[in-house]
Amino acid sequence: MSDGMNKQIEQEHPDYTERARMWRRYRDLYAGGERFRLNAAEYLVRRLKEPLDVYQERLARVFYENYVGSIVDWYTATLMREEPVIDLTDGRGKSREFFGEFVQNCDRRGTTLTQFFRQQLTETLVCGKSYVVVDFPRTGGDAQAPARSRAEEDELGRSRAYLTSYTADEVINWSYDDCGELDWIVIRTECLKQDVQSRAWKKQTRWIYYDRENYEIYERGSKEIELVERGRHGFAAVGRVPVYELQVSEGLWLINKAASLQLEHFNKSNALGWALTMGLFAMPVIYSEKEWSQIVGESYYIQLGPQDKFGWAEPDGKVYQIAADNLNRLKDEIYRVSFLMQQAGDSGGAMQSGLSKQWDFAVTQEILGAYGDVVKDAMRNILNGVAAARQDEMRIDVVGLDSFDITSFSAEANDAQSLMNLGIPSPTLKRQIQKRVALKYLCDARQDIKDRIAEEIEAG
């Protein structure tokens, strides 16, 4: 990108422009809390001909039951409960030492590789994708001058690769080649910076451009966008843009699947809450044909003639129950489309069979396995990319993230009791069942305690 491209650095990709509002909406749905309340006017539907003061009062009372946020956090916590195993093949002692440190601090902020990818997976489940930039420090001596040897490079700290995460709405423009590889990409970030002289806080906008060899950094000055830094990045030797994308398919994009249901639940629950609140304030009715000006009640009154009649058109006087049932159905549907059928209630009120529960858990485990494959592929690609850029002659594999114990303890205990009730004459089977149930219940206990319990069960 040449010097004359300062203006074009602001250009946004058509796909970015199309999805920018959607990403903001999905972030609000995931975050909930005060963030959602401040933006509630974008989501709380105003009824046809609803007075503005009434709508403003409904906004002031708004509340949000955040199911999708909890679902996303459950998936990331369950998937990353155990750390993946990094398998290093070949490589020098120095290379192995570096990757050992890198796994424990991958972003120079003390974040482990597992913690970093837990955050990336959360972002991916919310916005459908996230980005990771692999960078190398540009410090020590002449930052642009190449190191004369690998030893000098290590001494100056330039070989200490680190990761930086970017969200889907920070990557504003890009181009791919015919093979699906990035040709170039533009990242835009915003933050507050305190001016050294005036001490005032100002918003700083920065653009970072990467192609297969070079990087350029632009910042908005007092008026114009200025080029503040440029040079060769750490992946120039391998001819690759140092940006990796973590992406899930449309079918695995959780927030996208549940967003419309969550918004419908939000509007229905607030409508029901408003109706119940208004029902707590009795409205006086004056049966008179005379002019009435006296203030009574909380704020409203209705005046009818002696022969007049007044009523409400609603389904057989049971609209509140219908609304409550509809809210339960919406909540269950949110869990169902998120592959957590075991969390959804049964609308028919029937007990769910053990086989049906096992099937529901099996579906959830398959989805967790799919997310695990996405994370492992991204980890593997990034780690091997770092090794190639550092010219470490080694291969790196990532395994794990494929075993999940998500069945409930009550279901496990009931199954164990049913098996014991069969009366199978096997002391060994009985001891194994007791150990399995006891150790599952005490999964967070110290290992020495679990060993002692197992020995006591074996001893009878």
Side-chain angles (χ1 to χ4, degrees), residues 119-291:
Q119 298 166 3
Q120 291 304 112
L121 179 61
T122 298
E123 171 67 20
T124 303
L125 296 184
V126 172
C127 293
K129 57 184 175 180
S130 63
Y131 295 88
V132 179
V133 172
V134 181
D135 209 346
F136 290 83
R138 293 181 286 273
T139 58
D142 185 354
Q144 297 299 329
R148 289 171 293 183
S149 66
R150 178 61 183 271
E152 181 182 357
E153 191 176 58
D154 291 342
E155 183 180 353
L156 293 174
R158 294 186 190 174
S159 63
R160 177 55 172 96
Y162 63 93
L163 307 182
T164 304
S165 64
Y166 292 98
T167 62
D169 49 354
E170 288 177 325
V171 176
I172 65 169
N173 205 359
W174 58 86
S175 177
Y176 288 91
D177 62 16
D178 294 337
C179 297
E181 296 289 335
L182 275 171
D183 269 331
W184 54 265
I185 196 169
V186 178
I187 301 170
R188 180 179 63 199
T189 62
E190 294 179 347
C191 65
L192 288 176
K193 289 281 188 179
Q194 191 174 31
D195 186 77
V196 178
Q197 297 179 347
S198 66
R199 312 301 295 175
W201 288 93
K202 298 180 180 179
K203 184 176 76 171
Q204 181 190 72
T205 304
R206 169 179 284 203
W207 292 263
I208 308 174
Y209 166 84
Y210 291 103
D211 59 25
R212 294 179 183 270
E213 294 186 6
N214 303 305
Y215 73 92
E216 296 176 357
I217 299 178
Y218 297 80
E219 290 182 0
R220 187 182 297 279
S222 56
K223 294 182 179 179
E224 301 293 332
I225 297 175
E226 302 172 352
L227 176 66
V228 296
E229 187 178 335
R230 71 192 313 175
R232 285 170 61 85
H233 55 66
F235 276 57
V238 295
R240 191 194 191 286
V241 178
V243 181
Y244 291 83
E245 183 181 47
L246 192 69
Q247 185 173 18
V248 292
S249 65
E250 293 283 342
L252 296 176
W253 185 359
L254 281 184
I255 294 289
N256 191 53
K257 292 171 70 69
S260 59
L261 292 168
Q262 182 71 77
L263 284 173
E264 179 68 9
H265 187 280
F266 164 71
N267 276 281
K268 288 284 180 62
S269 60
N270 276 267
L272 179 60
W274 174 259
L276 292 173
T277 300
M278 292 299 99
L280 299 175
F281 301 99
M283 179 184 295
V285 181
I286 297 94
Y287 293 95
S288 174
E289 293 180 346
K290 299 179 180 178
E291 182 179 354

Side-chain angles (χ1 to χ4, degrees), residues 356-372:
S356 178
K357 288 181 179 180
Q358 290 179 12
W359 172 253
D360 289 346
F361 282 125
V363 171
T364 306
Q365 286 181 323
E366 288 296 324
I367 299 302
L368 282 166
Y371 290 141

Side-chain angles (χ1 to χ4, degrees), residues 343-416:
Q343 298 296 326
D346 184 77
S347 57
M351 291 292 292
Q352 192 178 16
S353 68
L355 183 61
S356 178
K357 288 181 179 180
Q358 290 179 12
W359 172 253
D360 289 346
F361 282 125
V363 171
T364 306
Q365 286 181 323
E366 288 296 324
I367 299 302
L368 282 166
Y371 290 141
D373 290 341
V374 170
V375 173
K376 286 187 293 185
D377 288 345
M379 277 188 176
R380 189 181 300 113
N381 292 336
I382 289 174
L383 290 174
N384 281 291
V386 170
R390 284 170 41 89
Q391 298 180 348
D392 292 321
E393 296 179 356
M394 64 190 313
R395 298 191 309 276
I396 305 174
D397 195 14
V398 182
V399 296
L401 302 182
D402 52 9
S403 179
F404 319 102
D405 186 10
I406 62 174
T407 56
S408 66
F409 175 77
S410 60
E412 188 96 4
N414 289 335
D415 290 343

Side-chain angles (χ1 to χ4, degrees), residues 286-289 303-309:
I286 297 94
Y287 293 95
S288 174
E289 293 180 346
Q303 183 173 357
L304 300 174
Q307 304 301 320
D308 295 340
K309 291 184 178 182

Side-chain angles (χ1 to χ4, degrees), residues 316-354:
D316 197 24
K318 300 177 181 178
V319 66
Y320 291 163
Q321 185 59 49
I322 293 173
D325 292 343
N326 182 248
L327 285 175
N328 286 330
R329 189 188 68 80
L330 287 170
K331 180 191 71 173
D332 292 346
E333 199 61 28
I334 290 172
Y335 282 111
R336 286 193 180 97
V337 301
S338 302
F339 311 105
L340 292 173
M341 283 74 77
Q342 66 273 17
Q343 298 296 326
D346 184 77
S347 57
M351 291 292 292
Q352 192 178 16
S353 68

